[in-house]
Amino acid sequence: MAPAITLAAEAPKLSSANTGFMLIASALVLIMTPGLAFFYGGMVRVKSTLNMLMMSFISIGIVTILWVLYGFSLAFGTNNSLIGWDTDWFGLHKIGLTELWPGYTIPIFVFMVFQMMFAIITPALISGALADRVKFSAWSLFVALWLTVVYVPVAHWVWGADGWAFKLGVIDFAGGTAVHINAGAGALGVILVIGKRVGFKKDPMRPHSLPLVMLGAGLLWFGWFGFNAGSWLGNDDGVGALMFVNTQVATAAAMLAWLAYEKIRHGAFTTLGAASGAVAGLVAITPSGGAVSPLGAIAVGAIAGVACAAAVGLKYKFGYDDSLDVVGVHMVGGIIGSLLIGFFATGKGQSTATGVFYGDHSFTQLWKQCAGVGAVLAYSLIASAVLAFLLDKTIGMRVTEDEEISGIDQAEHAETAYDFSGAGGGIAGSAASVLAATESKKVDA
């Protein structure tokens, strides 16, 4: 028998299919931020609608520029376990058009822009907790600081090749820790500093447009397939397809579980509950979907749906004003999804940056997940509170009480979401139309 010949592993080559798929996935992740804007915008009162939309949209502008200048380099450069550093990536000035992301078949530019979309939506998630009461200028500065001080280091820990959580073996397929726990804990830190809305627990603060909420939830659900399935950075071995399936399955299970909980607890199936339950399922499956089976995804979604539905009421018990339940859905959902990996993992789990973890459900994996969850939660909570405190003591974080009562849209943006004075119909509308026509004829004469 001829001696066996050992061949060197062939270096990855650029894949047009994977590159095209990742560009589409990146666009899907971007549409999640406008979806979030509609989701949050419908949940607030009329007088805060535009401000809520703008708090998401401004993140697209700020984060895009900072990510290109230094964010990507600090998050995914290599040097140490706490922060990345690659001067060739500052401003993206030394990256070749066809230079591949290490170990994969897509260009660095494609990976960079995919991760940019994650960085955009993460601070935007925080905005829902701060509805009705934060200066737009202060919020904009907070986004820039939070991206730099909180998001970038945490993304490096979890997804960077040298990150301590990555090397420890913490599984986070697409952002349970780096995105959802990070944003939820950050939101809690900020609201503990800036305080409650005027009238919290006294005045009715019902959503002004449930159709907008459902539209936003639908866009989030749609875009989340890019968020999750795209995090495999290709689909050569079917893991991305598994993540796609698990995203759908867990979201459906969570929506049904949330509706069942509120029917038993409150006596009705609400549209707000359906939308919120779907988002809870999306959050929970994000870290775990590549490591569990579809049956496991049903369990993850159902558990998250009930737990998050119960958690949103904690703000009334403990007295923190989380306006749109960012803590109850994103922080709690992220924790549940991350920890359940230790119970339901059946094979592959992956960090969205580089490399693959293999492992079954075990106590060893559970404690690794606990370490990652605890570190991100504590760091984001404390760092976010410190940033909010510094901004509040310098430029001020909150609008005045009069501005909050009269409406933050008019105070901060000099606009309103709906022009009721121009609405047709009714006696007043008809009289106004006749008067306008009469005046027009006089002018023509």
Side-chain angles (χ1 to χ4, degrees), residues 181-195:
I181 295 174
N182 202 5
L188 181 59
V190 176
I191 58 181
L192 291 177
V193 171
I194 67 171

Side-chain angles (χ1 to χ4, degrees), residues 225-246:
F225 290 114
F227 194 86
N228 280 357
S231 289
W232 193 247
L233 307 184
N235 196 30
D236 296 329
D237 55 5
V239 178
L242 172 67
M243 187 54 163
F244 195 108
V245 170
N246 283 347

Side-chain angles (χ1 to χ4, degrees), residues 394-428:
T394 51
I395 65 173
M397 282 285 285
R398 294 190 62 147
V399 298
T400 66
E401 184 173 329
D402 288 341
E403 289 172 334
E404 183 179 334
I405 293 172
S406 62
I408 196 171
D409 282 0
Q410 192 64 52
E412 289 292 294
H413 307 290
E415 297 173 307
T416 55
Y418 306 100
D419 182 7
F420 295 110
S421 66
I427 296 175

Side-chain angles (χ1 to χ4, degrees), residues 148-164:
T148 306
V149 176
V150 182
Y151 182 80
V152 163
V154 171
H156 183 74
W157 299 351
V158 176
W159 292 327
D162 288 342
W164 68 264

Side-chain angles (χ1 to χ4, degrees), residues 118-144:
F118 280 64
I120 285 170
I121 197 172
T122 306
L125 291 171
I126 298 174
S127 66
L130 317 179
D132 299 328
R133 59 200 189 276
V134 174
K135 293 179 182 177
F136 187 69
S137 56
W139 166 251
S140 300
L141 183 54
F142 176 82
V143 168

Side-chain angles (χ1 to χ4, degrees), residues 68 72-73 85-96 99:
V68 169
F72 176 63
S73 176
W85 189 269
D86 193 324
T87 56
D88 287 349
W89 292 352
F90 279 107
L92 311 181
H93 71 294
K94 289 186 179 180
I95 299 176
E99 187 177 350

Side-chain angles (χ1 to χ4, degrees), residues 3-38:
I5 301 175
T6 303
L7 299 177
E10 185 178 356
K13 296 180 181 179
L14 190 147
S15 166
S16 298
N18 284 340
T19 298
F21 168 73
M22 289 306 301
L23 290 174
I24 293 171
S26 300
L28 286 171
V29 181
L30 176 61
I31 206 172
M32 291 172 65
T33 299
L36 180 73
F38 283 124

